[in-house]
Amino acid sequence: MSKVRSPSLMQAPAVKNNLVKLGVYELVLTQRIIMSVHDMWVTRASGTEDKEDTMFTISILLLGIGQIHAANLIHNFKGSVDELGVCQCSIVLPDSTFPADRLEYLEIANQNLSITVQKEITKINHYESALIVYKERLINLTKRVELMEMGGLSYTELDFELVKLEIREMEALILQLKTSMNGTNVLVEALYLEIRNISIMVNQLEVYDKNNVLLIRREIAALQKRLEDCEKNQTTRPTPNPPLPPVDYGKCGHGGIANISKPLVVQLNFWGVSYKSGGWGSDSLLGADQGMQFVAPLLTDGRDMRTVRYYETYDDLLIYRHKEEKSVPGYGQGAGMIMYNKSLYYNCHNSQNLCKLNIPTNTVERKVLVDAAYNNRFSYSFTAWQDIDFAGDEAGLWVIYTTEADGGNIRIGKVNGTTLELMQTWSTTQYKRGATNAFMVCGVLYVTRSLSTKKEEIFYMYDTKTSKEAYLSVRFDKMMENMHSLSYNPNNHKLYMYNDGYLLTYDLIFKALK
């Protein structure tokens, strides 16, 4: 309560006018804050009518509140005139006529809105830059696919996989953009549609290619080369080379491996490029039906074999049809598995046991491989967890392993396929960690090593019939850097390789007997 003295009654309206001015000032300031918030709202909402209507409603409400507050500042007060003619009255002044707390709240809201809008603008700029880059990559991919369609480009299975990998990366980015942006964006939708179309086109081309188009082209190129060689021979008449022995599968009437063909890339394993280790092939029992094919990629740790997929025929494998996928009871370990007499042989998980998985019943038999090193003690170089490696050839079933007593050198064991008993063993002088892989042909162990990221070499052999070892040099190509499994099939004289996730085959060429 405050006492106000005035020389005359005419000065009382001046106090009232000052209070009115104070209320109006507060009203004007409130309106300015409203307009600032409104500008930020419009920038964020990009002119959406619903949000403008909402803002208009808020402005009217706040305006009404301001007017009511200004009016509340004005009151009528009773006074009296003393004997000197001086007006005396009592006026109640509010403690705080200016809403400082509400101003502070609006300033904070204004600042938060500014930060949010700036973040959204930065995000949009980033997406625009990424879209420009991926649009250029999409144009490049489109040109490459058009060349494939017109046959103007020499391509392989690996080319298809690399193109498909790029497409998957762009699909992932577009899906991320669609998820991050509220509402629709014409550019993003158009790019997504183009990527889906080009993905379908590449898959169709790949299926068409898998119908042995590349194989026919290779055969034609080989015939042309032979014709050219014949023409040169007719002209120069060189000393004839010794004739190659006739192909007689299942027989050992030859002098050992003379050469290895170029690799044939069959396809990528069904789980994709991340599953670099594993094994594959057909039944290695001499005379067995070669229809069924198995593919067993290990987990990304390169150790656990938990799933095997079986295909009825090789053609089914090429186009991923007529397949059956089974879980491995108790898991397998490493990429040393082979199929032999309708069973899968492998190293049991976390043990020195040999495992035999009956494919029709999916039941497992186990047998301890006495003294065998295991759990990555003496695996091949560049391939972990393959301490125990199975092999099949014309002579039967074998196991390639090491012992502590042999100091990590390779030991060969002849295995009874029914009982898993070892019938005989041979110790070699070749250190297992100095090799990349090994396989058996006609009772002879052949050991490989890496020469480069694209070349392998058979450099060591051990004949179990004579217990003699020798060194040789038979070089061959590989598509990827690391070879994870290598096995021989006596029914077709082929090597089956699992090469950083890709399934490859090679044809063996043998020497004639002297």
Side-chain angles (χ1 to χ4, degrees):
M1 182 75 68
S2 302
K3 294 279 187 177
V4 178
R5 295 176 58 86
S6 176
S8 67
L9 286 172
M10 294 301 295
Q11 292 180 346
V15 176
K16 182 176 181 179
N17 290 337
N18 288 335
L19 292 176
V20 172
K21 288 180 182 180
L22 184 61
V24 171
Y25 172 76
E26 179 185 3
L27 179 60
V28 171
L29 182 59
T30 304
Q31 287 177 323
R32 287 181 181 178
I33 294 171
I34 291 171
M35 292 305 297
S36 177
V37 175
H38 180 265
D39 290 340
M40 290 298 299
W41 185 280
V42 171
T43 301
R44 180 174 175 87
S46 299
T48 304
E49 292 183 1
D50 293 340
K51 294 179 180 178
E52 286 186 346
D53 292 342
T54 303
M55 196 64 212
F56 178 74
T57 302
I58 294 173
S59 301
I60 294 300
L61 289 174
L62 290 177
L63 183 61
I65 293 170
Q67 290 174 338
I68 292 170
H69 183 73
N72 287 337
L73 294 174
I74 304 170
H75 298 278
N76 291 321
F77 298 96
K78 296 180 179 180
S80 60
V81 180
D82 60 12
E83 64 277 4
L84 298 177
V86 178
C87 178
Q88 293 183 352
C89 62
S90 298
I91 300 175
V92 179
L93 295 178
D95 293 334
S96 176
T97 59
F98 186 79
D101 55 339
R102 283 186 289 168
L103 176 62
E104 182 179 2
Y105 173 80
L106 289 175
E107 286 178 342
I108 294 172
N110 186 16
Q111 184 178 4
N112 291 339
L113 283 174
S114 300
I115 294 172
T116 303
V117 171
Q118 189 60 43
K119 286 182 179 179
E120 294 297 325
I121 293 173
T122 303
K123 188 185 296 184
I124 290 172
N125 291 336
H126 171 73
Y127 284 150
E128 286 180 352
S129 302
L131 281 174
I132 292 171
V133 173
Y134 276 87
K135 185 177 180 181
E136 294 298 325
R137 291 182 62 181
L138 181 59
I139 293 172
N140 179 264
L141 275 175
T142 304
K143 292 178 180 178
R144 287 162 61 186
V145 172
E146 287 175 353
L147 285 174
M148 288 181 180
E149 286 184 304
M150 295 184 294
L153 184 67
S154 176
Y155 54 94
T156 64
E157 297 279 351
L158 190 56
D159 293 326
F160 280 120
E161 293 301 332
L162 293 175
V163 171
K164 287 165 66 179
L165 183 61
E166 290 186 47
I167 292 173
R168 283 195 294 268
E169 289 178 356
M170 289 194 291
E171 281 182 331
L173 176 71
I174 291 297
L175 290 174
Q176 181 184 354
L177 289 176
K178 290 181 68 177
T179 304
S180 300
M181 288 186 173
N182 293 326
T184 59
N185 186 289
V186 177
L187 178 59
V188 172
E189 291 293 338
L191 281 175
Y192 180 73
L193 183 60
E194 287 188 48
I195 290 171
R196 292 301 304 159
N197 289 339
I198 200 172
S199 177
I200 293 171
M201 194 181 305
V202 169
N203 289 333
Q204 290 174 344
L205 284 172
E206 187 181 26
V207 171
Y208 176 72
D209 176 71
K210 285 178 180 176
N211 291 327
N212 291 327
V213 174
L214 285 179
L215 182 60
I216 293 171
R217 288 184 178 179
R218 293 190 188 101
E219 291 177 352
I220 291 173
L223 287 173
Q224 290 175 341
K225 183 67 168 58
R226 289 171 61 185
L227 287 173
E228 291 174 0
D229 292 341
C230 286
E231 290 177 354
K232 291 179 182 179
N233 291 336
Q234 289 293 332
T235 304
T236 59
R237 295 185 182 278
T239 303
N241 293 322
L244 293 174
V247 177
D248 193 2
Y249 297 121
K251 302 293 180 65
C252 295
H254 53 75
I257 297 175
N259 206 351
I260 300 179
S261 71
K262 293 289 185 180
L264 172 64
V265 181
V266 177
Q267 64 175 206
L268 180 67
N269 80 88
F270 59 87
W271 275 351
V273 293
S274 298
Y275 295 84
K276 296 184 178 298
S277 187
W280 81 287
S282 56
D283 200 321
S284 299
L285 174 68
L286 185 61
D289 178 28
Q290 295 302 293
M292 180 180 285
Q293 311 286 315
F294 83 93
V295 181
L298 306 183
L299 297 186
T300 53
D301 61 4
R303 179 181 184 180
D304 294 355
M305 179 181 69
R306 300 192 179 187
T307 303
V308 182
R309 183 177 287 186
Y310 304 97
Y311 297 89
E312 292 182 7
T313 67
Y314 179 77
D315 290 338
D316 292 332
L317 169 66
L318 292 179
I319 56 178
Y320 300 100
R321 69 176 181 184
H322 298 158
K323 58 185 179 293
E324 183 179 13
E325 195 166 309
K326 293 184 178 181
S327 298
V328 179
Y331 306 155
Q333 179 167 286
M337 73 291 288
I338 67 163
M339 185 193 295
Y340 187 87
N341 194 20
K342 299 181 181 179
S343 294
L344 200 66
Y345 292 80
Y346 55 91
N347 178 201
C348 306
H349 189 268
N350 196 34
S351 72
Q352 58 182 176
N353 293 343
L354 305 180
C355 270
K356 174 185 176 183
L357 175 65
N358 184 293
I359 294 174
T361 64
N362 206 43
T363 56
V364 178
E365 298 176 38
R366 293 174 173 83
K367 186 72 175 180
V368 176
L369 183 58
V370 180
D371 296 331
Y374 66 102
N375 276 358
N376 212 28
R377 175 68 174 119
F378 293 113
S379 186
Y380 296 117
S381 61
F382 307 116
T383 303
W385 307 104
Q386 203 169 337
D387 303 82
I388 297 174
D389 186 16
F390 280 94
D393 70 354
E394 292 81 357
L397 182 64
W398 306 82
V399 62
I400 302 166
Y401 66 107
T402 58
T403 66
E404 295 290 346
D406 287 336
N409 290 344
I410 293 175
R411 179 180 286 194
I412 308 166
K414 189 70 171 63
V415 181
N416 184 311
T418 303
T419 65
L420 294 178
E421 295 282 351
L422 282 186
M423 299 184 291
Q424 189 176 352
T425 62
W426 295 262
S427 294
T428 73
T429 61
Q430 175 57 46
Y431 186 53
K432 192 163 184 258
R433 285 194 177 276
T436 54
N437 226 287
F439 59 94
M440 300 291 296
V441 177
C442 289
V444 178
L445 172 74
Y446 290 93
V447 182
T448 63
R449 64 183 174 187
S450 180
L451 298 180
S452 68
T453 58
K454 295 295 183 181
K455 284 284 185 183
E456 287 281 326
E457 179 188 42
I458 300 175
F459 74 101
Y460 175 85
M461 58 182 288
Y462 184 96
D463 191 340
T464 59
K465 296 183 292 295
T466 63
S467 296
K468 292 183 179 180
E469 59 186 3
Y471 291 92
L472 68 162
S473 179
V474 178
R475 299 184 178 189
F476 59 99
D477 298 330
K478 56 185 178 181
M479 299 302 296
M480 306 296 283
E481 182 174 355
N482 297 314
M483 174 174 60
H484 296 275
S485 72
L486 189 65
S487 58
Y488 169 72
N489 192 314
N491 296 288
N492 52 22
H493 290 181
K494 288 185 182 294
L495 288 179
Y496 291 80
M497 180 191 289
Y498 195 102
N499 186 200
D500 271 346
Y502 289 90
L503 315 183
L504 278 62
T505 61
Y506 298 82
D507 291 314
L508 292 184
I509 303 169
F510 296 102
K511 301 175 185 176
L513 285 174
K514 296 181 180 179

